[in-house]
Amino acid sequence: MPVERDAAQEDPLRGRHIVLRPLVADDYSQLYEWAAGGLVPWQWQGRPIGPEGFQQTLWSGALAHLVICEPTSAKPIGLFTAYGANFHHQFCYVQMGLVPDVRGHGWPIEAGLLGINYLFLRHNFRKIYGEITSQQVGQYGSAIGPGFDVEGRLIDHLFVDGELCDMIIVSLTRATWEDQLRPVIRRLQSSTREETS
Amino acid sequence: MTLTFDDFVGRVASELGIDVANPARDTSLRDDLMFDSIAVFEFVLVLEELCGVLMPEALLSTIDTLGEAFGWYEVRVGSA
């Protein structure tokens, strides 16, 4: 059955099962709730963040925040963040936080692919780095996937949920994105007729 | 027309650009075909294209074998 191509192909932030959108001021209260509830980038953990300083902290070092949403309800289910961008050396870092009930499924992979695709399309980055914990490898499953090289592992670097865990630095090059991931993304951005139940 | 299991596997393999030797219904995507998570994800995208519908996320984690994927395909295409 042929796939129907549509305008979604032209929108790098729209996938099949989720969409990304830029962060807006109305999202801050939701993000603060997530931060208070533990759904936070690892950099923030251990640091008290009050509501007054939350926005500043959120944007400190950030290049872009993209809210991950369910496409039909527009319900936010996570946040994809690009930070630590260096345009001279042409790299940045990314991380993703997701509400617990969608972790371990396929759609977080979709969010990561869309976010990375957006960054490579929009900016002249050579490499995109990710800093993930050994715990997250289990949560996302895909954190170290094809095309991602492990650049380093900091043993017992973080104290998360009462346990020491490693921090793993992974990277994806522009060439690898172009050769290995873009075909998947092109397929991802084709549409099908309906969602079944 | 609904594909047979062998045709289904051949079609999926062709779309993914892979060879699947001796496919069986209990062939595991992860353990036998050594699919990583992105490969599984792309497999689901192909499956959706064959069926013409999107797969609910809740079902995603229930599909581990070619037979389970074919079963979902049969239900969707058979009911279309």
Side-chain angles (χ1 to χ4, degrees), chain A residues 16-17 187 192 194 196, chain B residues 37 48-49 54 57 60 76:
Chain A
R16 278 196 198 170
H17 313 90
R187 186 183 291 280
T192 51
E194 60 180 311
T196 185
Chain B
S37 52
E48 289 178 336
E49 289 164 12
L54 301 185
E57 185 182 22
L60 187 66
R76 294 310 308 171

Side-chain angles (χ1 to χ4, degrees), chain B:
Chain B
M1 189 178 70
T2 307
L3 299 172
T4 64
F5 176 74
D6 287 343
D7 289 342
F8 168 81
V9 174
R11 181 78 177 274
V12 171
S14 171
E15 288 286 335
L16 295 176
I18 60 170
D19 290 322
V20 180
N22 305 316
R25 288 177 187 257
D26 63 354
T27 298
S28 166
L29 302 178
R30 295 169 181 83
D31 296 335
D32 298 320
L33 301 180
M34 308 307 288
F35 278 16
D36 57 45
S37 52
I38 290 182
V40 172
F41 179 67
E42 190 175 14
F43 176 87
V44 170
L45 297 180
V46 171
L47 184 56
E48 289 178 336
E49 289 164 12
L50 287 175
C51 299
V53 296
L54 301 185
M55 180 180 285
E57 185 182 22
L59 277 180
L60 187 66
S61 57
T62 68
I63 291 184
D64 182 53
T65 66
L66 291 175
E68 288 162 352
F70 182 65
W72 193 77
Y73 163 80
E74 277 189 310
V75 168
R76 294 310 308 171
V77 173
S79 64

